Amino acid sequence: MKQLRLGVLAGLFVVAGVLSWAGARLWHSLGDPPSIPLAAPIVLAVIAAVLLATALSLRARLKAQRERRPGAKGVEPLMAARAVVFGQASALVAALVCGMYGGTGLFLLLDGLDVPALRDQAIYAGLAVLAGAGVVAAAMFLERVCKLPEDEDDTMAPA
């Protein structure tokens, strides 16, 4: 399984942001600008919390397993792999969604701060971007927790 790269996530964020900003400009020229739902930052924050809770739980279980504590509940490799895949998928989607909300929010900041409703939409977009960054951070932490010690030495990996 390949590790997440911040460059790829940043690239997705930028491309989605530019496309979203252009789309918001086009949409605004045809009528009302797009709206940002209040649920967007809330849902992203919940996903970040789930990823963080999963990472902390797995880290505690792995630590107990390494220390050979009596009654320690081990971590099945397939469960750890599924958690990492969930984290990676969440980070990729969060990068796209954050780019989308970031581009729309940038458009609203540049063109709509004089209207209170659009100002609220820009705030929701900013909160969604922050919550999405939390999703990416939690996913990277989860990936780091589930990384095998043997994976740290890339010299043994086949080319």
Side-chain angles (χ1 to χ4, degrees):
M1 187 177 309
K2 290 189 177 183
Q3 192 172 3
L4 278 175
R5 305 265 185 235
L6 281 178
V8 171
L9 296 175
L12 286 172
F13 174 80
V14 169
V15 169
V18 168
L19 291 175
S20 178
W21 176 77
R25 285 192 64 187
L26 177 64
W27 193 335
H28 182 64
S29 69
L30 299 174
D32 290 335
S35 64
I36 309 292
L38 176 60
I42 295 169
V43 169
L44 287 168
V46 167
I47 293 170
V50 167
L51 285 170
L52 183 62
T54 302
L56 293 174
S57 171
L58 286 174
R59 184 177 72 168
R61 288 172 63 184
L62 287 168
K63 182 179 179 185
Q65 190 176 7
R66 275 192 308 269
E67 294 174 354
R68 298 176 193 238
R69 290 185 192 158
K73 188 175 178 185
V75 177
E76 295 180 26
L78 188 58
M79 185 182 77
R82 286 179 180 160
V84 170
V85 169
F86 171 61
Q88 288 182 346
S90 297
L92 290 168
V93 171
L96 286 170
V97 169
C98 284
M100 183 184 75
Y101 287 133
T104 304
L106 181 64
F107 168 76
L108 292 171
L109 280 175
L110 297 175
D111 291 345
L113 283 183
D114 52 340
V115 179
L118 295 180
R119 189 176 325 124
D120 291 343
Q121 297 295 311
I123 291 170
Y124 298 158
L127 291 174
V129 170
L130 288 175
V135 169
V136 170
M140 300 287 279
F141 178 61
L142 175 62
E143 186 178 55
R144 185 170 180 246
V145 164
C146 292
K147 188 174 183 179
L148 295 173
E150 294 85 16
D151 288 349
E152 292 174 5
D153 185 15
D154 291 335
T155 58
M156 297 185 69

